[in-house]
Amino acid sequence: RVQAVRSGAQDFLVKGYFDDGQLAKALRYSIARNNILRRLEDTQRIARIARDGLAEVFGIKLTVWAG
């Protein structure tokens, strides 16, 4: 289990030791994490566009931190 998490797994199910409810929960959480990641990437893209637009209009260099 620890090895799975160290390898990057966000969740894991042990073959033969999970039921429909646990599978459904793992799938819901996976979809939610994916949606959150997508929104974060969209927000970062918008921030870069805004930064680049301001830099062009005002002739300044701006840095956007994401982390």
Side-chain angles (χ1 to χ4, degrees):
R1 296 175 185 181
V2 173
Q3 180 63 30
V5 173
R6 285 184 183 154
S7 296
Q10 296 293 320
D11 204 347
F12 62 91
L13 299 168
V14 179
K15 185 176 179 178
Y17 292 96
F18 63 91
D19 59 26
D20 294 346
Q22 291 169 316
L23 177 58
K25 180 181 174 183
L27 290 171
R28 281 194 310 272
Y29 284 10
S30 177
I31 291 167
R33 281 190 300 270
N34 189 44
N35 289 339
I36 291 167
L37 181 57
R38 189 177 309 124
R39 287 195 309 257
L40 174 61
E41 290 168 347
D42 289 345
T43 300
Q44 290 173 335
R45 186 171 36 261
I46 291 167
R48 282 192 297 275
I49 291 168
R51 176 201 63 203
D52 295 346
L54 286 171
E56 186 175 328
V57 169
F58 294 107
I60 57 176
K61 181 175 178 162
L62 299 171
T63 302
V64 176
W65 286 278

